[in-house]
Amino acid sequence: AKQGEKAFERVEKINAELFTMTYGALVTQLLKDNKDNCDAVNKALDAIGYKMGMKIVDEFLATTAMGSCRTFAETAEVIAKVGFKMFLGVSATANVAESLQAYSLVLEENPLNAFVELPDKYRSELWFSNVLCGVVRGALEMVMFRVECTFVKCMLRGDDATEIRVTLLEILNENFASGDDD
Amino acid sequence: MIYTLYIFNRSGSSMFFHDWHRRKRPVEGSKELAEELSLMGGLLYSLKQFVRSVSPQGDGDSMTCFRTNKFRLHHFESPAGIRFAITTDLLCPDLRTELRYIYSALFVEHVVRDPMHTAGSPITNPAFREAVDKFVQKLPHFSTSGAV
């Protein structure tokens, strides 16, 4: 947790309201573009997040100067306490499943949700903060863990917390891409 | 004396290359250079596998440096698999901290944050080359061939 604080201090910050408003505008625009098809919007947010995650991971590793996580379960704590703190300013709680192949990240407070009220027609289908799933998925893939990442609870739907479920699919191998093998 | 800086992505393809005091220098875009880069990429990749399999302490080991009769290679790998290697003369002390700096300050700033850059592709941003060049030229061992 201390490392999270430190990392948070080290990164550049932007105004929280500006951030949430921008994100809100993005989601609204996506809803318009996709003619209120929540499924498509969820996917689009995930895809945006995925690309962010692939980049964010280097910034994260460079700022925190952390070594590699040896096990998948170890990543849970690091994402919850350091990653979320560094990029969102809040830390999450990680509950690792007994199998060690999955965990959930619980956020008591989600800055993306601030000022947001979901209209009834979106309530059961839209995962407003789905971008976070993409980020986690992208970032973990860069450190060789291919995961599935989905929302299970969202405060905007009336749940008591925000919960993201991360499930390990496979541990990737480094593959050598040789251009010209004779 | 510092000779060459190489950066490879995690599948061993070259992302960046810059050289300084080399007497024998491959021409930009030549076949020799392409070959050198793919050999170096392959070498670092295989060395990593090799170190892993023979390391007496089990996992968590990584290659940091090797030397030949003429040069020394310093190596740093980020946890996301980007490899940085720099070759110097034999008297140059360990440059891992410097490689780390290139990663955490220059690479993140000019490559990761560059919206036009996709992860793992060759680095085209001239600002990165400029920053690296400036940083390396300022190192105390850049052009001296003796202990400082």
Side-chain angles (χ1 to χ4, degrees):
Chain A
K2 233 185 189 173
Q3 258 176 320
E5 300 279 343
K6 258 198 219 151
F8 183 61
E9 271 165 34
R10 250 181 266 159
V11 288
E12 283 171 50
K13 288 164 201 74
I14 61 162
N15 182 291
E17 278 89 21
L18 176 69
F19 175 63
T20 32
M21 296 298 183
T22 315
Y23 184 70
L26 171 76
V27 179
T28 321
Q29 188 59 45
L30 281 172
L31 278 168
K32 261 188 215 151
D33 289 352
N34 288 293
K35 303 195 175 58
D36 284 351
N37 179 344
C38 292
D39 210 34
V41 175
N42 288 341
K43 280 208 187 99
L45 287 172
D46 182 78
I48 293 170
Y50 179 66
K51 290 203 179 130
M52 287 165 74
M54 284 166 74
K55 291 192 158 232
I56 228 172
V57 70
D58 273 310
E59 186 160 355
F60 174 75
L61 294 166
T63 316
T64 56
M66 279 213 199
S68 334
C69 289
R70 302 264 164 77
T71 63
F72 177 62
E74 243 175 85
T75 64
E77 200 65 10
V78 174
I79 291 175
K81 293 285 181 286
V82 191
F84 274 57
K85 181 73 194 168
M86 176 172 161
F87 293 109
L88 279 179
V90 294
S91 44
T93 323
N95 301 317
V96 183
E98 248 174 69
S99 64
L100 300 179
Q101 303 298 305
Y103 52 78
S104 59
L105 301 163
V106 182
L107 283 166
E108 309 260 311
E109 188 188 353
N110 177 358
L112 293 177
N113 282 354
F115 320 117
V116 178
E117 255 180 67
L118 281 188
D120 281 340
K121 58 174 170 174
Y122 300 139
R123 195 164 273 199
S124 59
E125 284 168 65
L126 180 70
W127 292 114
F128 183 80
S129 305
N130 213 30
V131 74
L132 296 179
C133 283
V135 173
V136 171
R137 186 164 67 89
L140 280 173
E141 192 158 311
M142 295 314 279
V143 288
M144 297 305 183
F145 296 108
R146 204 161 72 80
V147 297
E148 187 182 82
C149 190
T150 45
F151 261 92
V152 278
K153 275 188 197 169
C154 174
M155 275 192 271
L156 293 177
R157 295 182 173 196
D159 297 322
D160 52 345
T162 300
E163 185 175 337
I164 299 171
R165 184 117 197 109
V166 186
T167 317
L168 179 66
L169 297 177
E170 64 172 321
I171 294 179
L172 299 165
N173 277 320
E174 244 171 28
N175 284 319
F176 185 63
S178 55
D180 54 346
D181 263 339
D182 307 323
Chain B
M1 184 102 74
I2 292 174
Y3 299 129
T4 323
L5 172 74
Y6 305 91
I7 302 177
F8 296 95
N9 69 13
R10 69 174 171 188
S11 48
S13 326
S14 168
M15 292 175 71
F16 182 83
F17 162 84
H18 197 94
D19 60 357
W20 288 274
H21 299 109
R22 280 166 63 170
R23 230 183 297 162
K24 194 187 114 212
R25 234 176 136 262
V27 190
E28 198 80 24
S30 67
K31 213 179 152 207
E32 287 75 33
L33 179 62
E35 194 158 309
E36 173 181 326
L37 293 178
S38 86
L39 278 174
M40 180 61 79
L43 171 75
L44 295 179
Y45 177 84
S46 324
L47 263 177
K48 181 181 174 184
Q49 311 291 330
F50 168 71
V51 166
R52 254 196 208 158
S53 60
V54 297
S55 177
Q57 309 288 352
D59 62 341
D61 201 353
S62 60
M63 201 267 288
T64 56
C65 165
F66 73 73
R67 55 168 287 178
T68 70
N69 274 337
K70 298 278 185 203
F71 74 91
R72 183 170 166 181
L73 181 137
H74 313 250
H75 176 251
F76 164 78
E77 182 181 4
S78 91
I82 310 284
R83 298 190 181 97
F84 296 78
I86 203 163
T87 55
T88 66
D89 66 354
L90 296 174
L91 291 157
C92 182
D94 189 29
L95 288 181
R96 246 179 308 159
T97 349
E98 285 74 11
L99 287 176
R100 224 205 128 79
Y101 178 83
I102 292 178
Y103 169 60
S104 63
L106 310 181
F107 185 80
V108 166
E109 179 65 31
H110 297 296
V111 180
V112 174
R113 290 196 187 151
D114 176 1
M116 302 303 283
H117 180 263
T118 40
S121 60
I123 299 166
T124 47
N125 188 347
F128 179 69
R129 191 171 292 273
E130 221 169 273
V132 165
D133 193 30
K134 213 167 133 201
F135 171 71
V136 173
Q137 299 223 23
K138 273 204 192 127
L139 292 176
H141 302 281
F142 175 67
S143 53
T144 50
S145 54
V148 171

